Each structure stands twice: as C-alpha cells, then as structure tokens.
Amino acid sequence: MGSDEKRGLQTEDIGFAVLVVLITLAAAYLLAPYFGAVLWGVVAAIMFQPLTARLTKQMEGRKNLAASIVLFGLIALFVIPTILLGISLVNEATTLYQKITSGQIDFGRIFQQIQNALPRRVRGFVAEYGLNDFESIRREFGSSITSGLQTVAGRVLSVGQGALSFIAALGVMLYLSYFLLRDGDRYGEMVRTSLPLHADTRDSLIENFLRVVRATMRGTVVVAVVQGFLGGLLFSVLGIEGALIWGVLMGFFSLLPAVGTGIIWVPVAIYLFATGAVMKAGIVVFCGVFIIGMVDNVLRPILVGRDTRLPDFVVLIATLSGLELFGLNGFIIGPVIAALFIAVWNQHRDRRQAKAAVAEGSPIPVQTEAGAAKAVEEAVAHPS
C-alpha cells in the first residue's frame, strides 16, 4: 500500500510539473506580442527601483507618490526625447535620401576625389584590382545607402501606421514599470522563492542577472548616448551632411567592442582629407581618438566599476547575435544570456568540485552570497 501511495505521489508530482511547464509556455506565448514592452518595463524597474525605495523612505512610506515621481521622470528624460529623436531622424533620412536620388550627393564623384588624393603607388594598386570602376561603386554603394535610408523611413512610417499598437506597447511598459517600481521588492521575493533551485544557486544567479542588467544599461546605453551625441555634435559643427544620422550610427556602433564609433568617423576623416578639407579631417581624427574614443575608457569604469567583467569577444558575439535574433532588445538580452551561461557553468563546476571534495574527505569551503558573486565575477573576467 505504501509503495502504491509513493508511486501515486510521484505520478502526481510529474503531472503537476508538466502542467507548470505548459502553463508557463502558454503565458510566454500570450505575452509575446508585448515582449519588448515587458522587457523594458522590467529593465526600468531593475534600474530605478532602488531610487523609488529611497524616495519612499523620505516620503514616510508613500509608495504610490514615489513610484509616480520616478515614472514621470523616466517619461521626461527618456521616453519623450526618444520619440522626438525618432521624428528628427526620419526627417533627416528623408532629406538625405532625396539628395542622393536627385544627384546632389554623387558617390562616383566622391570616390573619384578620394582616388585623386591617394599616392600614385596606391592608385596603381587600386587600378590593378579594378577598384576604380566608379560607376559600379556608385551603383552598389549608393543603392546600399538609399535602401538603408528607405528602411529607416519605412520602419518609422510603419510605427506611425500602427500608432495604436505603439501606444498600447508604450502604455504596457509604463503601466508595468509603475507597479514594479512600487512593489518590486514583493514581486522579486515571489519570483525568488518560486524558482526550483537550491538557495545558494538561485541567489547567486539572481544577483548575477541584476548585476549584468544594471551594468549593461549604465555602461553601454549611457556610453552609447554620450558618444553618439558628441559625434553628431562634432559633425554638425563641421557642417557634415546627415549629422544626426551619423551620430545615431556612432551611438549604435559604440555597442560593439574594439571597432566602436571608428566605423563612422574614420571613413569621414578620410573623405575630408581626400577632398582637401585637411583641417576638418584633423579635427575629426583628434576628436574621434581623444574625445569620443576616450568616453568609453573614462565613463565605463565609473558607471560600471566591477559589476560585470565579460571578455570583449563574448560581449561582441553576444551583442551581435542578440541584435540579430531579438532586434534592438538583443543588446540587453545577448549579454545577459552570455553572463548567465558562464555563471551557470561556474556553478556546475563548483558543485562538481564540492562533490569531489566530499568523496576525498576534504573540507568544503563555505561561500557566502557575496563571496559567490565575487567568484563568479572573477571567473567571468578570467575564464579558463
């Protein structure tokens, strides 16, 4: 009888586990249309819930008021400027596209000017490999640029046509952010206690997840915004066409380690030098190396500190793959998945070492949560 009861309990447990998995997958499918809105709502709560908690304490426990103040601050500082930037970007992309199609911007002439500025030996090398067919280059390069500009305009136009969906997604994000800012501690504790993991593993992974999200937002988004702003301002002051577009592109490429904003300002400096604007070319190179380039070296350690130490090659691959799979949301999802992947395998390694120590009769070192987090951080910084 006892054996039958035990078998029945095991069957019920398995059935309940299957039910939990199926209901969770159904909930994920239900949220899929608003995945981006939910993601950014959670990210906003992770970033600003500590600020909300401090405001709540100063306001003698008035959580609703504190969460409302933080939410309106987010709207004023991030949401409205982003919308205005998108509108300006579309206007500039449209203007640049019209100039290219009308012939005001002629890529064949630009490449001819660059070739004329090259040394004779380099010009011979270019001719030898057939790179002086400027008409073909103009068609290929020009069509790539125009298709890119059409894509930018088309995407924003689609947002305008689907204004109701955009407003709904924005509303979901802000609504979710409000409740997570107000009751984030309670919801976080519910998630923490519901995860079917050992307490030490669970707490270490959650801590690592929060650390990576905060570090990604502080050290990546802030640096990207500053570098893009400085690059766009530099190009605008120098009178370079499409300064806003180039600034946005510099901010985007700053997400990629090693290459960064140089993808944009180096070719621009070469063009300026080739067309005889030596002074402007020198200013672009100086500002690109010593101002825009140094932002990453100066700001990132201040904003991030030792919060995350993923190797550059991991960040590069994870960011590119994340952007490819998840769009703009991928620059957060990619590094987070990579960091959790490394953390999980570090936990697996620690468990195997602990079992080996038990088998050999050696004492097992006791790790506090802070010590475990530090060990994960060091392992990520110096993977074996």
Side-chain angles (χ1 to χ4, degrees):
M1 185 68 178
S3 176
D4 293 339
E5 289 179 357
K6 184 176 181 181
R7 187 179 300 108
L9 288 175
Q10 289 177 342
T11 303
E12 290 171 0
D13 291 340
I14 294 173
F16 182 72
V18 172
L19 179 63
V20 169
V21 171
L22 292 178
I23 293 297
T24 302
L25 292 175
Y29 180 77
L30 183 66
L31 293 176
Y34 293 99
F35 170 75
V38 172
L39 173 67
W40 286 102
V42 171
V43 169
I46 290 174
M47 293 298 300
F48 296 99
Q49 203 280 328
L51 174 61
T52 308
R54 289 197 296 270
L55 284 177
T56 301
K57 186 176 180 180
Q58 293 177 2
M59 295 177 178
E60 299 178 350
R62 299 167 69 181
K63 287 187 175 182
N64 291 329
L65 180 58
S68 299
I69 291 174
V70 174
L71 186 63
F72 281 116
L74 293 178
I75 293 173
L77 292 175
F78 299 103
V79 177
I80 294 177
T82 301
I83 293 174
L84 295 177
L85 177 64
I87 295 172
S88 301
L89 185 62
V90 172
N91 292 334
E92 189 157 317
T94 303
T95 302
L96 197 59
Y97 172 73
Q98 291 173 348
K99 289 184 177 181
I100 292 173
T101 53
S102 65
Q104 288 180 266
I105 298 178
D106 186 355
F107 289 107
R109 179 176 56 84
I110 291 173
F111 286 122
Q112 180 67 61
Q113 290 174 327
I114 293 175
Q115 189 199 33
N116 293 338
L118 295 174
R120 182 177 301 176
R121 181 175 297 180
V122 178
R123 287 204 301 268
F125 175 81
V126 169
E128 180 181 350
Y129 285 90
L131 299 177
N132 57 349
D133 186 359
F134 298 112
E135 182 59 29
S136 299
I137 294 175
R138 185 191 66 79
R139 286 196 303 267
E140 294 294 330
F141 192 74
S143 63
S144 300
I145 293 292
T146 51
S147 64
L149 294 173
Q150 283 179 319
T151 301
V152 171
R155 284 184 179 275
V156 179
L157 181 61
S158 66
V159 170
Q161 293 172 341
L164 184 60
S165 299
F166 173 76
I167 293 173
L170 181 61
V172 168
M173 185 198 76
L174 296 176
Y175 194 66
L176 176 63
S177 298
Y178 172 78
F179 285 101
L180 292 180
L181 288 170
R182 190 188 68 176
D183 303 312
D185 289 340
R186 181 162 62 89
Y187 292 128
E189 184 63 20
M190 290 172 57
V191 172
R192 190 182 70 86
T193 55
S194 299
L195 291 176
L197 298 171
H198 293 290
D200 54 345
T201 302
R202 175 197 65 201
D203 294 342
S204 176
L205 291 178
I206 290 176
E207 182 67 23
N208 198 65
F209 169 76
L210 296 176
R211 184 186 303 111
V212 171
V213 170
R214 287 170 179 154
T216 300
M217 293 301 296
R218 289 200 305 261
T220 302
V221 176
V222 175
V223 170
V225 169
V226 173
Q227 288 187 317
F229 173 77
L230 291 176
L233 180 63
L234 171 66
F235 283 15
S236 178
V237 170
L238 295 178
I240 296 172
E241 198 75 43
L244 179 61
I245 295 176
W246 302 129
V248 171
L249 288 175
M250 275 192 271
F252 175 78
F253 284 117
S254 71
L255 301 175
L256 305 178
V259 289
T261 57
I263 293 178
I264 302 298
W265 63 259
V266 169
V268 170
I270 294 173
Y271 166 73
L272 291 173
F273 179 79
T275 54
V278 179
M279 179 65 71
K280 288 185 177 181
I283 293 174
V284 169
V285 172
F286 177 83
C287 293
V289 174
F290 295 104
I291 297 180
I292 299 174
M294 291 302 293
V295 165
D296 185 76
N297 297 328
V298 173
L299 274 186
R300 197 181 297 273
I302 295 174
L303 295 171
V304 178
R306 293 179 57 84
D307 280 349
T308 182
R309 296 288 302 277
L310 288 174
D312 282 350
F313 70 89
V314 174
V315 176
L316 177 63
I317 296 172
T319 302
L320 291 176
S321 299
L323 291 170
E324 179 71 21
L325 294 173
F326 302 101
L328 185 60
N329 302 320
F331 84 88
I332 290 180
I333 299 174
V336 167
I337 292 176
L340 291 179
F341 170 79
I342 294 174
V344 166
W345 278 96
N346 283 335
Q347 289 280 346
H348 175 66
R349 179 197 61 194
D350 293 342
R351 288 181 176 278
R352 291 189 62 183
Q353 290 177 349
K355 289 180 180 179
V358 170
E360 295 174 1
S362 304
I364 303 174
V366 179
Q367 275 191 327
T368 63
E369 182 177 338
K374 184 177 180 181
V376 169
E377 182 177 299
E378 292 176 351
V380 171
H382 307 286
S384 55

